[in-house]
């Protein structure tokens, strides 16, 4: 706006708009690295990274690509910080998800990406494979009253695939923590309603790296891949007073049970 008002349309770079649309970074990456095939950007707030990975899996299953780069990135702009400040969700102290003393989130930034390919393609080379995506599910619930049941439904859908129940095989679940008891309690209760007597360990990396908003789901996947690779459970930083009994967490990095 400043450039336009001070110098007219001639003063505005023709690259201004293409550089600010949602798919700009994906398009520039494709140009720089000579990627071909599908190129799209998912914008769904905090689930953007997860849905980008899901979309990548769907492209592979439709045989629209052999290898895909999927993930998300987030930059912490001042206006974003101000928005969350006005909403009253930013912490004035320390990010403490799932803690009775949690008073809000702290924002982080960064990018996290994965290369995805079908099993058939992966068998054609000797590159290291880190994890396999077996199942996924997503839903959306704007109603806080049904927030807990919506989470439980999504987890259940993921755990039941092709008449196979994976519930008893899960050792660890990685989630977003909001450091607000009214939300965190619903997340934990949803997990408890699904797993009942076989509650897995719960981990949340936001208290270490900050909440990366659109990239948070991709970072959660990364933590899961690292946990599988190294057979480790990573602790929730700053957790002192757990909001609910039965919450399984480790105080330091520990080996998988």
């Amino acid at each position: 706006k400043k450039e336009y008002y001070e110098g007219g349309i001639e003063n505005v770079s023709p690259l201004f708009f293409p550089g600010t649309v949602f798919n700009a970074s994906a398009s520039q990456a494709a140009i720089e690295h000579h990627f071909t095939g599908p190129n799209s950007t998912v914008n769904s707030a905090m689930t953007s990274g997860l849905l980008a990975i899901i979309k990548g899996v769907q492209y592979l299953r439709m045989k629209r690509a052999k290898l895909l780069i999927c993930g998300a990135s987030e930059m912490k702009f001042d206006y974003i910080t101000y928005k969350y400040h006005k909403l009253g969700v930013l912490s004035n102290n320390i990010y403490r998800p799932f803690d009775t003393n949690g008073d809000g989130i702290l924002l982080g930034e960064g990018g996290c990406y994965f290369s995805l390919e079908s099993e058939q393609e992966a068998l054609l080379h000797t590159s290291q494979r880190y994890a396999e995506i077996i199942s996924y599910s997503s839903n959306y619930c704007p109603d806080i009253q049904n927030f807990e049941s919506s989470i439980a439904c999504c987890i259940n859908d993921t755990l039941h695939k092709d008449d196979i129940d994976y519930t008893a095989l899960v050792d660890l679940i990685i989630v977003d923590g909001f450091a607000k008891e009214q939300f965190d309690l619903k997340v934990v209760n949803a997990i408890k309603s699904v797993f009942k007597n076989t509650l897995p360990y719960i981990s949340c990396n936001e208290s270490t790296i900050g909440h990366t908003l659109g990239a948070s789901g991709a970072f959660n996947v990364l933590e899961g891949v690292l946990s599988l690779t190294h057979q480790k459970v990573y602790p929730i930083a700053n957790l002192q007073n757990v909001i609910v009994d039965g919450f399984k967490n480790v105080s330091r990095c520990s080996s998988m049970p």
Side-chain angles (χ1 to χ4, degrees):
K1 288 183 179 180
K2 179 180 179 182
E3 288 80 1
Y4 175 75
Y5 287 125
E6 289 182 354
I9 192 65
E10 295 82 4
N11 201 40
V12 179
S13 169
L15 298 178
F16 176 75
F17 176 73
T20 57
V21 293
F22 288 129
N23 65 338
S25 58
S27 299
Q28 289 299 319
I31 292 170
E32 181 175 346
H33 298 287
H34 306 288
F35 294 152
T36 59
N39 188 316
S40 64
T41 299
V42 177
N43 179 29
S44 56
M46 295 181 183
T47 61
S48 297
L50 277 177
L51 290 184
I53 295 170
I54 290 175
K55 191 170 185 177
V57 173
Q58 292 171 340
Y59 274 135
L60 291 173
R61 289 179 173 174
M62 292 187 294
K63 301 187 184 303
R64 293 192 59 187
K66 294 182 178 180
L67 186 146
L68 290 155
I69 305 298
C70 301
S73 57
E74 186 74 58
M75 182 178 288
K76 190 172 66 173
F77 292 103
D78 289 343
Y79 75 86
I80 294 178
T81 303
Y82 179 73
K83 178 182 72 173
Y84 281 92
H85 168 70
K86 295 297 288 184
L87 288 172
V89 297
L90 290 183
S91 172
N92 294 315
N93 190 14
I94 300 174
Y95 198 164
R96 297 184 185 276
F98 305 105
D99 194 298
T100 55
N101 294 320
D103 65 343
I105 66 173
L106 293 175
L107 298 180
E109 60 184 351
C112 182
Y113 292 84
F114 304 88
S115 60
L116 304 183
E117 59 186 340
S118 66
E119 184 178 10
Q120 292 81 1
E121 289 294 325
L123 293 174
L124 297 178
H125 57 76
T126 58
S127 300
Q128 183 174 354
R129 298 183 291 275
Y130 292 92
E132 178 183 359
I133 297 176
I134 297 175
S135 179
Y136 56 83
S137 179
S138 65
N139 62 17
Y140 173 66
C141 178
D143 180 8
I144 188 61
Q145 300 302 322
N146 296 313
F147 186 55
E148 183 178 318
S149 60
S150 175
I151 296 172
C153 179
C154 192
I155 296 173
N156 265 316
D157 287 345
T158 303
L159 293 175
H160 296 84
K161 178 75 172 177
D162 298 329
D163 298 323
I164 301 175
D165 184 353
Y166 293 98
T167 307
L169 301 177
V170 177
D171 297 312
L172 170 67
I173 185 165
I174 301 163
V175 297
D176 276 5
F178 302 97
K180 291 282 189 180
E181 190 167 344
Q182 60 175 339
F183 294 108
D184 286 354
L185 193 59
K186 291 180 182 296
V187 172
V188 176
N189 286 337
I191 295 171
K192 293 180 72 173
S193 71
V194 173
F195 291 95
K196 298 180 174 60
N197 296 326
T198 58
L199 191 68
Y201 286 97
I202 297 175
S203 184
C204 172
N205 54 63
E206 278 96 358
S207 57
T208 302
I209 65 175
H211 203 303
T212 53
L213 304 177
S216 62
F219 277 109
N220 288 348
V221 173
L222 175 61
E223 182 182 344
V225 171
L226 292 173
S227 294
L228 289 171
T229 302
H230 302 293
Q231 290 296 287
K232 298 290 186 180
V233 177
Y234 299 97
I236 300 176
N238 310 318
L239 183 60
Q240 296 179 340
N241 303 297
V242 181
I243 59 174
V244 63
D245 292 335
F247 187 101
K248 290 184 69 177
N249 176 53
V250 294
S251 58
R252 59 186 176 85
C253 187
S254 303
S255 298
M256 282 280 194

